[in-house]
Structure formats: C-alpha cells, structure tokens
Amino acid sequence: MPDSLNTLIRAVEDANSSALLQEAVKNLAATRLEGAIPTLIAALSYNNPGAAVAAVDGLIQIGEPAVPSLLELLDMHNYTARSWAIRTLAGIGDPRALVTLLGAATADFALSVRRAAAKGLGMMKWHWFPEDLLEIAQAEAMEALLFVAQEDEEWVVRYSAIVGLQFLANAITVSHPDWRSQILSNFEQIAAKEESWPVRARVLMAQQELQTATATTQTQHIDNSPSPLSSMDWQKIMEELYGRKGQERLVFAEGDPRRYEQLAVAIAQNTDE
Amino acid sequence: MENAANIQDDNQLTVEQAIANLQGEDLGLRVYAAWWLGRFRVDAPEAIDVLITALEDEDDRTNAGGYPLRRNAARALGKLGEKRAVPALIKALECSDFYVREAAAQSLEMLGDSSSIPRLIELLNDQIPGTLPAPEPPQLTQPFDAIIEALGTLGASNAIPVIQGFLDHPVPRIQYAAARAMYQLTYQATEVYNQYGDRLVQALANADLQLRRAVLSDLGAIGYLPAAQAIADTLAENSLKLISLKGLLEKQLQPTAPQELSPGAIKVMQLMDALL
C-alpha cells in the first residue's frame, strides 16, 4: 500500500496542468489514508478551486487525524488556504476547532467561510465532549447561531445558520429541552420577519423535521467513535472558550455565571483517570 | 467569486459627493461615482438625473472609441429600479459602443419594462445603424446574449422566431441565452419548453468553467426543477451552485410564499444543505 500512496502523492507533485492536478488530488483523497494528509493540506494553498474541493472532501473523510495540521494552517497568512481549512474543520466537526468556528461564523469577511462555519457549529461531534464542557460549548454555539441566523447580511449564511440550529436542536433534545424550545420560538420570530423566501422555507423545513420524532438522525452521519482527544486538548479548548467569553465581557460588561473555574478542576480530574 | 473583491474603502464618498463627482472635471472620479451610485443603490432623484445625463456623455472616450462613463451609468440605472430611466436606456441601445448597448439591454431587463421590446428586437436583427461590433474576437456585431436574455425576461413572445435562429449560434454562450429565453417564452404554452431546459442541463457538462458558471446562472434564472441534481453535481464553486439552486427553490415557492413546502422545494433544500 505505501508504494501506491507514494505514487499518488508523486502524481500530485508532478501534475503540470490544472485538470491533472485536480484529478491527482481526487485520486489521493480517495485513499482516505493518513499519509495523504500533508499533500492534501498543501493542495489547499494551490489556488486551484477544483483541487481544493477534492482535498477538502478527502480531509473531511480522514477526519480527526487531519485536525492539528489544519489548525496550524490557520495561523498562516494565505487567506485562501485559511478559508479552505476552516471549511474542512467545519466538515470534520472536531471540538478543537470549536472556537475557530465560533469566530468564523460570526465575523469572517468571506461569506463562504461564515456559511460553512455556521453549519459546522451545528454538527460538532458533541458526543466527544465531557459533560460540563458540552453544556458551555452548546450554549456558545446556540448563541452564535441565533445571532448569525438573524443578523448576517447574506441570505445563504442565515440559511446555513438555520441548518446548524436544526442539528443543534436535535442534539440537545434530551439534555436541554428548554434550549430546544428557545430555538423553536426563535424560528417563529425569524419566519415572521425574514425577507428571503429561501431562508423562510428552510425555517419551515427545520420546524417540520424537528416536529417529526423519527427525523432525529436524518442526514447527519452517525458516528459513535469515542473521542481521541487528550486532557490537554480539552484544557486548551476550555481556555479558548474562556478567552472568548472574556472578550465578550469586555464588550458587553455582562456578568456570566458559567462555571469555568470549577470546570477547569473538574476536567483535569476526569480526564486523568 | 465571493463579494470580498468588491469591498473597498468607500467611507470617504457620500451621496452628495458622488453626485458632485459625477458632474465634475475628473473623468476617473466620474466613472467611479457612476459605479458607486449603482453599487450602493442610491436611488435619490438627483442621482437618477445625473446618471441619465451621463448616458449622453461625450467627454470620456477610450482610444477605441468606447464610452466608459456611459457603460457604468447604464449598469447603475438598471440597479436603481427607476422606470424613469427607460427611455434614456432605450436610446442607449443606439450607441456605437458595444458595451454600452450590452449594459443598456441588461438594465432594461432588470427594470422589466416591455416598452423596450421593439427596439431590442431591431437590435437583435442588427437593424440599428451606427452600432459597432465588439472590438475583440469573436467581434460580435451585437451583444446577442444580453439582448436575448432581456427579451426572454420581458416576455417578448413576438421575438420567438428571431430567437430560435440563435439556438445554433456558433458562440455557446449565445446558444444558451437562446435556450433560456425560449424556455421562458414557451413555458406552459407549449409541450416542448422542457427541451430548452434540458439543453441547458447538458451544457453543465461543458469543459469550459466560465460557460458552466453562465449556465448555472441561466438555470437559476428560469428555475428549472429537473436540473436540481445536475446543478449540485456541476464542477463549479459551491457558492454559484447555491445561488442557482436558490432560483429553483424560489420558483417552487411561488406564488404562495412559504406556507407549505412542495416535494420539489424539499429536494432542492436537501441539495443546498449538502453544499453549505
């Protein structure tokens, strides 16, 4: 197998036309092998949309092992690559990207990034989260998505936030029926004042699907794999969330009762078992 | 393709300043002001007035004889939704500059005023004296695609015989414009209108990305539901596919607006969800 992987990687490196590159990246992505990750990530920077789309698809399939390198890419200055990386992270739903996605959904200047991040926020791998961090993460995602669904200036981003909210409402059906009701009542308000017909139609579809009990798994791919994240990862996620909350406080000067301090202790204890 | 490219630092310009610039000495500022008024949808009566005046500008000429200010003024007037501009835009269809005529035809389409139909048909038949071909290859005598698309949107059924002749035009973009207009003009009046929609669906497989993008836009404009899956599968940017599918969805929601969802609307939304 390594031989054929090397051949496929070399095909990407040697491609001398846009079409060949696209094809080579597609073939490499189809292997779903971790060894393909560096080459696929490099393809996000080639300024070839066809190759980038194929690389994003491949990286999403590979999933979690690609996340650290993707997060690294976000620190670089190539904006196009950054935007593809965020879209990939949204597709993977890895908790390490949570804070990045929160920021991207609410504030990125490219609508394609806000759009992908909004959907990604609804489709996080929630089952990986430790219980207490889960509550904070879902509250943050809900707050961000409700904001984007009502305030973003682009119809497609609002549309995407509705999709994200539908997934989130599904995920919290048992744990937080009160939040689910809050999302549903927001849907009522959005439907009443939204100007874009497609967004209103998507609200209506979300309402219908949430009413249908059997719709719970729908298009969301079922993935029950256990969390591969370490206690260090969770610690970092929590600190990032805390930092984000701190920034918001500076702006809104609003007391926040969430128990970050105790949580730090709780997580450290749980994950070291 | 995202709108980032158009974002500039426009904070310095005010509506008053833009209107003043449009009448000022600096030709560069005039052209920019005309674009700016359209971009920011400034539909104040004074803005419309100066833009209409700019359609007859003689100061701003390119070496090839083009009228950059007139082009931008014509484009802006289409965006401002003021029917008062229609007679001046019809007059602009006589301009020697190919791109002024193209912009005028597109703006008349946007303004949706059928009084321009006779003149558009004359232009399509190349019967307006003094109009020059496009300066670069394929050096078309007229902006046929813009004219045909306008006639389709304006419901010019008397143009059907002329437009049919363009279904086999050597330039693919013009063939597609003709198919799009034929679909609109024969929609539900004949049993064959789907053949025009299907022609566009086949064109989504064209090797040229620019053409695939144009066809996505055509299919969105006519809201051709049988194209939904093919649109989602097209090798093009998700953003453009989403806009195209939005056109299909809107057609499904007409004329009731979202009270209930047809199976077609649900299918289109499922495809859209996957492209986000």
Side-chain angles (χ1 to χ4, degrees):
Chain A
M1 269 335 254
D3 271 356
S4 77
L5 180 64
N6 285 336
T7 312
L8 291 168
I9 289 174
R10 211 169 317 118
V12 174
E13 289 164 354
D14 295 347
N16 55 12
S17 79
S18 166
L20 277 178
L21 179 66
Q22 229 163 288
E23 196 56 32
V25 172
K26 212 168 150 184
N27 292 337
L28 178 62
T31 65
R32 300 190 186 185
L33 293 172
E34 288 188 29
I37 292 174
T39 314
L40 291 177
I41 286 190
L44 300 178
S45 311
Y46 289 165
N47 198 22
N48 177 325
V53 168
V56 168
D57 287 346
L59 289 164
I60 290 175
Q61 295 295 332
I62 295 168
E64 181 271 324
V67 172
S69 316
L70 283 165
L71 288 170
E72 218 164 277
L73 193 63
L74 295 182
D75 296 331
M76 291 163 40
H77 292 291
N78 181 338
Y79 189 80
T80 312
R82 203 183 121 74
S83 141
W84 288 112
I86 291 177
R87 291 164 79 170
T88 312
L89 288 166
I92 296 174
D94 190 285
R96 281 168 290 182
L98 173 66
V99 172
T100 300
L101 294 184
L102 284 168
T106 51
D108 199 281
F109 79 78
L111 72 91
S112 62
V113 172
R114 299 202 301 280
R115 180 180 85 206
K119 182 183 172 193
L121 277 180
M123 300 183 71
M124 279 271 129
K125 289 192 161 69
W126 300 119
H127 63 284
W128 282 5
F129 281 81
E131 202 175 319
D132 284 350
L133 187 55
L134 176 66
E135 183 168 313
I136 294 169
Q138 288 181 331
E140 287 290 319
M142 182 170 80
E143 192 182 324
L145 286 173
L146 286 173
F147 172 82
V148 174
Q150 294 170 83
E151 302 297 334
D152 199 284
E153 61 187 14
E154 297 288 343
W155 71 271
V156 75
V157 181
R158 299 197 300 278
Y159 181 107
S160 195
I162 301 297
V163 175
L165 283 167
Q166 180 189 322
F167 283 118
L168 182 61
N170 239 335
I172 59 178
T173 301
V174 179
S175 58
H176 283 285
D178 49 333
W179 292 358
R180 184 188 154 102
S181 308
Q182 197 184 329
I183 291 174
L184 285 168
S185 72
N186 268 277
F187 279 167
E188 295 281 333
Q189 293 166 27
I190 293 168
K193 68 172 188 190
E194 172 63 55
E195 283 176 11
S196 157
W197 281 15
V199 178
R200 277 164 62 190
R202 191 62 189 78
V203 171
L204 189 57
M205 186 160 116
Q207 289 171 319
Q208 288 174 358
E209 295 197 354
L210 287 169
Q211 275 161 15
T212 318
T214 51
T216 41
T217 48
Q218 276 279 355
T219 48
Q220 195 168 21
H221 53 101
I222 305 166
D223 174 6
N224 292 321
S225 59
S227 159
L229 271 57
S230 70
S231 63
M232 288 272 287
D233 289 326
W234 292 114
Q235 188 76 28
K236 186 149 178 282
I237 293 168
M238 194 205 52
E239 279 164 13
E240 285 173 349
L241 266 173
Y242 185 78
R244 184 180 155 81
K245 229 30 217 177
Q247 283 172 0
E248 285 173 15
R249 276 208 210 89
L250 290 179
V251 180
F252 299 113
E254 192 180 298
D256 188 272
R258 291 169 197 164
R259 304 146 292 166
Y260 287 103
E261 300 298 336
Q262 299 98 299
L263 187 65
V265 181
I267 287 178
Q269 285 168 351
N270 287 338
T271 46
D272 287 344
E273 280 166 11
Chain B
M1 291 320 294
E2 315 291 356
N3 61 3
N6 279 339
I7 295 174
Q8 303 189 12
D9 185 7
D10 294 309
N11 292 331
Q12 305 97 323
L13 211 50
T14 62
V15 172
E16 293 72 23
Q17 192 61 54
I19 291 172
N21 285 356
L22 194 49
Q23 298 162 295
E25 295 294 315
D26 187 321
L27 294 180
L29 285 182
R30 279 200 218 176
V31 173
Y32 182 74
W35 173 84
W36 191 91
L37 290 170
R39 164 70 179 80
F40 293 100
R41 301 284 194 276
V42 179
D43 57 359
E46 310 82 64
I48 308 285
D49 290 340
V50 291
L51 286 169
I52 288 176
T53 307
L55 283 180
E56 305 208 312
D57 169 80
E58 286 291 350
D59 296 336
D60 191 15
R61 301 292 303 268
T62 65
N63 292 336
Y67 291 92
L69 176 56
R70 292 193 194 190
R71 295 172 192 167
N72 274 7
R75 290 179 192 125
L77 284 166
K79 294 178 185 159
L80 300 183
E82 173 58 72
K83 296 236 177 174
R84 194 151 58 85
V86 168
L89 286 168
I90 293 177
K91 188 86 175 43
L93 294 176
E94 299 168 14
C95 184
S96 57
D97 181 351
F98 180 93
Y99 296 105
V100 171
R101 302 196 300 279
E102 178 177 68
Q106 287 165 341
S107 289
L108 286 164
E109 177 183 10
M110 282 191 254
L111 293 176
D113 190 304
S114 54
S115 66
S116 60
I117 289 176
R119 206 61 176 147
L120 285 167
I121 293 178
E122 284 171 350
L123 194 60
L124 189 58
N125 283 321
D126 200 18
Q127 289 165 333
I128 300 185
T131 56
L132 300 175
E136 65 277 301
Q139 284 167 321
L140 299 165
T141 51
Q142 299 298 342
F144 295 118
D145 47 350
I147 302 167
I148 291 168
E149 285 173 12
L151 287 167
T153 301
L154 295 173
S157 43
N158 54 337
I160 288 177
V162 201
I163 293 174
Q164 252 168 339
F166 286 89
L167 286 167
D168 300 315
H169 195 277
V171 176
R173 180 74 204 97
I174 294 172
Q175 291 175 23
Y176 304 153
R180 162 180 164 168
M182 287 301 292
Y183 179 89
Q184 289 169 313
L185 296 174
T186 59
Y187 182 61
Q188 286 181 340
T190 66
E191 284 166 8
V192 295
Y193 59 89
N194 273 354
Q195 81 179 50
Y196 302 113
D198 292 340
R199 255 183 98 128
L200 290 173
V201 172
Q202 285 159 24
L204 287 176
N206 194 292
D208 179 348
L209 173 62
Q210 288 296 350
L211 281 174
R212 295 198 299 273
R213 287 173 176 157
V215 174
L216 283 175
S217 152
D218 288 336
L219 285 165
I222 63 174
Y224 187 55
L225 185 62
Q229 187 67 54
I231 290 170
D233 296 340
T234 300
L235 296 170
E237 295 85 344
N238 281 7
S239 300
L240 297 185
K241 295 196 266 187
L242 282 162
I243 291 170
S244 181
L245 287 170
K246 176 179 177 243
L248 269 55
L249 178 57
E250 280 170 338
K251 186 91 171 181
Q252 285 295 301
L253 301 174
Q254 284 167 359
T256 51
Q259 298 300 326
E260 51 190 285
L261 301 170
S262 66
I266 290 171
K267 179 181 160 56
V268 173
M269 283 191 279
Q270 286 166 344
L271 291 169
M272 288 171 71
D273 286 4
L275 293 168
L276 296 171

